[in-house]
Amino acid sequence: MRKLFLLISTFTLLLISAFSFAQAPPEGINYQAVARDTSGKPISNSVNLSVRFTIWDSITGGATLFTEIHNFVNTNRYGLFTLVIGSVSTASFTSIPWATGNKYLEIEIDTVGGSNYLSMGRIQMMSVPYALYAKTAGGGLVGTTGVTGATGATGATGVTGITGLTGNTGATGSTGTTGLIGITGSTGSTGATGGYPPTQAKAVTTTTTSLITFTVVDSMALTPGAGDFMVFFQSSMGNIPLDPNNTPIYVAIFVNGLKIPASEVIVNVDHQFDISPVSCIAYVTGVLAGQMIDVRWKLSNVAPASMYQRTLIVQRVN
């Protein structure tokens, strides 16, 4: 495997994204995320975050199709904030050409509400956003069916002619000589390669660990083949009541058994009955065929912890 490049550098933004799309005006995309500082702690009760959303027509470079900025974004005590993409620049949002080509969403953040944004990279928007095109597909709404006109009068039946005599069947001719086989035509050009679908692993059953060394989260491992990938993981977790003392829980993305350092997050459950969200994201290049991408976790002591419904998505970008 070649050198790994990480999506998150000096500022770690943990994304727990849920997209839903309106089927009638007003239009928009619900977006939810958790902001954390470089030590993994939530940026709690902030009123001065700035978030910029940009929709592109390419994973790198390309043309900007839509941009809007949300200023003075509030976070709760967990660092959670919720926005609606398209609620600021509504006119620009409704003019996005969903019907043509792939779309890629870039999220940028400034923690002090200025203009020094840090990009979280681009991710491909999948099939649901393109349902916005269905509202106007085919040139607009179909009008109501007009009233059926009256049936015209039936014309008079003509006189039936006399049936002629049946002729004799002619003799079958001899089979002609088979012609020569023609020259084989040249092979046509190879068609364009289709896009890469995401590889996804999901699990809804609860899994528990007491280990203080990294171990693979149950069902959270994929072998996507060779290439470059965007990797996303999200879940929620909490302490089993045997340990109400806020045991730190470490979660990270691994490739071929090697941890992606900047993908590692630390979750502190404030109370034995609290449920805390967790999300990891990384951009990895040079993955070889047969190498595994997985999510691993560990505790700081042997007190058990539980992880609930969880999802791992590996999206090929090259």
Side-chain angles (χ1 to χ4, degrees):
M1 181 177 69
R2 303 193 301 272
K3 183 176 181 181
L4 303 177
F5 295 91
L6 305 178
L7 177 65
I8 304 173
S9 53
T10 54
F11 180 85
T12 303
L13 179 66
L14 305 181
L15 303 178
I16 308 171
S17 302
F19 296 94
S20 66
F21 297 83
Q23 297 181 12
E27 298 176 351
I29 303 172
N30 289 333
Y31 178 82
Q32 189 176 72
V34 172
R36 295 180 183 270
D37 61 22
T38 54
S39 65
K41 296 181 179 179
I43 302 177
S44 303
N45 302 315
S46 172
V47 296
N48 203 30
L49 290 179
S50 289
V51 181
R52 180 163 63 192
F53 298 104
T54 304
I55 295 178
W56 299 82
D57 64 358
S58 176
I59 190 66
T60 58
T64 300
L65 304 178
F66 169 80
T67 298
E68 73 175 12
I69 296 174
H70 293 253
N71 293 314
F72 306 110
V73 176
N74 298 334
T75 64
N76 65 10
R77 69 185 183 117
Y78 300 110
L80 182 72
F81 64 89
T82 302
L83 301 172
V84 177
I85 303 172
S87 62
V88 176
S89 302
T90 54
S92 298
F93 185 81
T94 57
S95 65
I96 296 173
W98 298 110
T100 57
N102 295 329
K103 305 296 181 289
Y104 301 86
L105 176 64
E106 180 179 16
I107 303 101
E108 301 170 275
I109 190 169
D110 186 332
T111 59
V112 295
S115 59
N116 186 23
Y117 290 97
L118 176 65
S119 175
M120 299 296 100
R122 301 182 192 179
I123 58 174
Q124 183 178 355
M125 303 177 76
M126 303 311 292
S127 60
V128 173
Y130 300 98
L132 293 174
Y133 175 63
K135 180 181 65 179
T136 57
L141 299 176
V142 177
T144 57
T145 303
V147 177
T148 302
T151 303
T154 303
T157 303
V159 178
T160 303
I162 299 173
T163 303
L165 298 175
T166 302
N168 296 326
T169 303
T172 302
S174 59
T175 303
T177 304
T178 302
L180 299 175
I181 297 175
I183 300 172
T184 302
S186 57
T187 302
S189 57
T190 302
T193 301
Y196 300 106
T199 302
Q200 180 169 298
K202 287 187 176 182
V204 297
T205 56
T206 301
T207 184
T208 302
T209 187
S210 300
L211 299 178
I212 59 174
T213 57
F214 274 113
T215 184
V216 177
V217 178
D218 181 45
S219 302
M220 294 295 101
L222 294 169
T223 306
D228 303 334
F229 300 92
M230 290 291 300
V231 184
F232 307 90
F233 170 74
Q234 64 179 19
S235 183
S236 58
M237 58 178 57
N239 280 30
I240 292 177
L242 292 175
D243 177 32
N245 298 318
N246 193 20
T247 297
I249 306 169
Y250 300 85
V251 183
I253 295 171
F254 282 67
V255 179
N256 197 32
L258 300 177
K259 182 175 71 174
I260 308 302
S263 72
E264 183 176 61
V265 297
I266 303 173
V267 180
N268 290 294
V269 180
D270 297 332
H271 185 273
Q272 66 180 12
F273 300 110
D274 278 353
I275 302 298
S276 294
V278 60
S279 179
C280 300
I281 184 171
Y283 173 50
V284 295
T285 62
V287 177
L288 301 179
Q291 292 184 338
M292 180 178 294
I293 298 176
D294 57 56
V295 179
R296 305 187 185 192
W297 62 332
K298 71 173 184 177
L299 306 179
S300 58
N301 59 47
V302 295
S306 296
M307 185 177 293
Y308 308 107
Q309 183 169 342
R310 51 205 181 273
T311 301
L312 172 63
I313 300 176
V314 178
Q315 172 70 57
R316 181 187 299 275
V317 296
N318 188 18

